[in-house]
Amino acid sequence: MSATHHILLVDDDQMLRDALAEQLALYDEFKVSTASNATASLKAVQAERIDLVVMDVGLPDMDGREAVKLMRKNGFKGPVVMLTGQGSDADTVLGLEAGANDYVVKPFKFAVLLARIRAHLRQYEASEDAIFQVGPYTFHPGSKLLVSAKGSKTKLTEKETAILRFLYRAGRKPIARETLLQEVWGYNSQVTTHTLETHIYRLRQKIEPDPANARLLVTDAGGYRLNP
């Protein structure tokens, strides 16, 4: 995963919270925020884009599972990994029914939590609920929309959405024209690089303030890349 993912850690154990935040911050793929209680976590997911929440069950102001229910009710779609000191099947079922995606029992190895986080982010990015930050826009591939910071919406075509999604997943790595053709159109011998260039041109008309001087979707190394 090449893009930066915003992780929210919610735990009232400051030593554990700080240790996890410090370890996750060692990886360039993560931006980390923390909260010590459910109330602060609910405010955080409403205030900014959070990609994944690591939520402790035993919080001082509310059961973590109730907090997850409220997050889901308020529209949060990202993955939630619950942390708990209770590893019974009943506890796991309660957490999953509340809207969590996974359960990790304390004590745990950091490598295990890291693997779970990465796995759920990969699954989420492949889902219709995924939301990405592309430059100044929030990209909603499931609904083929780009939403500006001011809330204005730009409708994308299916191919434009597929191009943007594939380039996003590549991070800052340039993607060859032939690769994009294969990924977006498949093995269709009737489709040429001219078709791709036409779609890139139309996409730039929608997302670039100055399409003739592209800054977000740039030409590079015989292909294209996003420059978020």
Side-chain angles (χ1 to χ4, degrees):
M1 291 175 290
S2 51
T4 301
H5 298 94
H6 193 172
I7 308 295
L8 176 65
L9 297 174
V10 189
D11 201 304
D12 62 331
D13 183 336
Q14 184 174 348
M15 288 184 63
L16 176 61
R17 190 174 69 244
D18 291 348
L20 289 177
E22 184 177 342
Q23 288 176 294
L24 285 170
L26 294 174
Y27 297 86
D28 291 339
E29 67 199 84
F30 300 125
K31 171 187 174 184
V32 184
S33 295
T34 63
S36 61
N37 57 58
T39 303
S41 72
L42 291 168
K43 290 179 179 178
V45 295
Q46 290 294 307
E48 53 188 329
R49 187 176 67 88
I50 301 292
D51 296 304
L52 180 143
V53 176
V54 177
M55 172 77 75
D56 186 34
V57 169
L59 297 172
D61 56 340
M62 187 188 302
D63 187 295
R65 291 164 294 209
E66 291 301 317
V68 173
K69 282 184 182 179
L70 289 173
M71 284 183 181
R72 296 304 191 200
K73 184 178 180 181
N74 292 337
F76 180 69
K77 301 290 188 180
V80 177
V81 177
M82 302 291 298
L83 301 180
T84 179
Q86 304 294 324
S88 72
D89 290 343
D91 281 293
T92 301
V93 169
L94 285 172
L96 297 177
E97 287 184 345
N101 299 83
D102 206 347
Y103 238 68
V104 176
V105 181
K106 299 177 182 178
F108 55 84
K109 293 183 179 180
F110 174 73
V112 171
L113 178 62
L114 179 62
R116 300 280 185 91
I117 287 172
R118 284 172 167 165
H120 285 294
L121 285 171
R122 284 194 298 269
Q123 291 173 15
Y124 176 66
E125 287 189 351
S127 75
E128 289 300 305
D129 290 329
I131 298 173
F132 309 115
Q133 194 67 35
V134 176
Y137 305 100
T138 303
F139 176 35
H140 302 250
S143 50
K144 302 181 182 65
L145 284 177
L146 281 173
V147 183
S148 73
K150 294 182 179 179
S152 60
K153 298 179 180 179
T154 300
K155 188 69 175 176
L156 302 174
T157 67
E158 182 178 347
K159 296 302 184 187
E160 289 167 350
T161 300
I163 290 168
L164 206 54
R165 188 168 191 160
F166 191 78
L167 290 176
Y168 174 86
R169 287 177 173 167
R172 295 177 181 271
K173 177 184 175 183
I175 300 299
R177 290 178 174 86
E178 293 75 16
T179 302
L180 265 178
L181 277 173
Q182 180 180 319
E183 291 294 333
V184 176
W185 278 271
Y187 293 96
N188 186 340
S189 59
Q190 303 303 313
V191 177
T192 66
T193 55
H194 176 71
T195 302
L196 172 62
E197 288 161 0
T198 300
H199 280 78
I200 293 290
Y201 171 82
R202 291 173 179 168
L203 191 51
R204 282 174 171 160
Q205 298 296 314
K206 294 181 178 182
I207 69 176
E208 299 279 1
D210 180 7
N213 186 27
R215 289 283 184 263
L216 181 58
L217 203 176
V218 299
T219 303
D220 187 12
Y224 303 100
R225 68 176 171 86
L226 280 180
N227 188 32

